[in-house]
Amino acid sequence: MKQLKRSNVVMCVVMLLLCAALCLLPERYENASTHIPRERVRIEEVDNSGLYPIGIVYSGVQNCRVTVLSGEHAGESAMASNYLNSALDKDKLYVPGDVAHAMVQMGEHLTVTLIDHARTGTEALIVLALAGVSPIAAAFVTVTALTVMIDLLVGGLTRKTLIASALCVPKGGRARA
């Protein structure tokens, strides 16, 4: 097996230190809603009477009856609001049976604001983010895990694949043997 060049090792160490430093950066985008717990909810009923069509998008509020599936209020039922802003790429419409992520808080009564559909493909990243892990760290861990899985699936369990998965290899990310 070829010896690793000293410059490649130095570059890997520098990149690892840079990634570690990025993970330690504080979250700058905190606001009042940052600390509201996010939980999974199931949509039981929807009321679309508060929606106003504007071309192919909607504006207004979709009111839904939901059941909280996780967290402190699991099993409780409440009305939830889904605010639509006529933005096709951001707005979501729910139907009964959908599972969604929502902000759940207790005031005078249980208040639920729908955020997004619960998708299994991004579940690990969402769980890490909802658990309070830095978004940068969560994305780094997720991308690293996906890279290792893809390397193993494409290259098989070989020495080259293991080395490529274990090291930061410059020059396009390909190990040269």
Side-chain angles (χ1 to χ4, degrees), residues 15-163:
M15 288 297 136
L16 286 172
L17 291 174
L18 179 63
C19 289
L22 287 174
C23 291
L24 298 175
L25 289 176
E27 179 61 49
R28 296 183 338 175
Y29 302 105
E30 290 189 10
N31 57 33
S33 66
T34 303
H35 302 288
I36 298 173
R38 271 64 170 175
E39 306 296 349
R40 291 170 55 94
V41 298
R42 182 177 51 250
I43 311 298
E44 305 295 345
E45 302 172 20
V46 295
D47 175 14
N48 293 333
S49 63
L51 295 179
Y52 306 100
I54 302 174
I56 62 171
V57 295
Y58 291 93
S59 181
V61 179
Q62 181 185 39
N63 293 304
C64 305
R65 164 106 10 228
V66 301
T67 301
V68 181
L69 300 176
S70 63
E72 182 180 335
H73 302 286
E76 293 184 40
S77 186
M79 289 303 293
S81 302
N82 176 29
Y83 299 97
L84 287 90
N85 300 313
S86 306
L88 189 60
D89 59 333
K90 294 179 184 72
D91 290 345
K92 290 97 178 142
L93 284 175
Y94 298 96
V95 297
D98 282 350
V99 176
H101 290 286
M103 294 187 296
V104 178
Q105 61 184 337
M106 184 58 113
E108 293 178 21
H109 59 281
L110 190 61
T111 304
V112 179
T113 303
L114 298 170
I115 299 172
D116 199 357
H117 288 91
R119 293 181 173 89
T120 56
T122 58
E123 193 69 29
L125 188 56
I126 291 171
V127 167
L128 289 172
L130 293 178
V133 175
S134 162
I136 295 171
F140 180 75
V141 168
T142 303
V143 169
T144 301
L146 287 171
T147 300
V148 169
M149 287 189 293
I150 291 168
D151 284 351
L152 290 171
L153 288 171
V154 171
L157 190 59
T158 65
R159 181 180 292 172
K160 281 185 185 181
T161 304
L162 293 175
I163 291 171

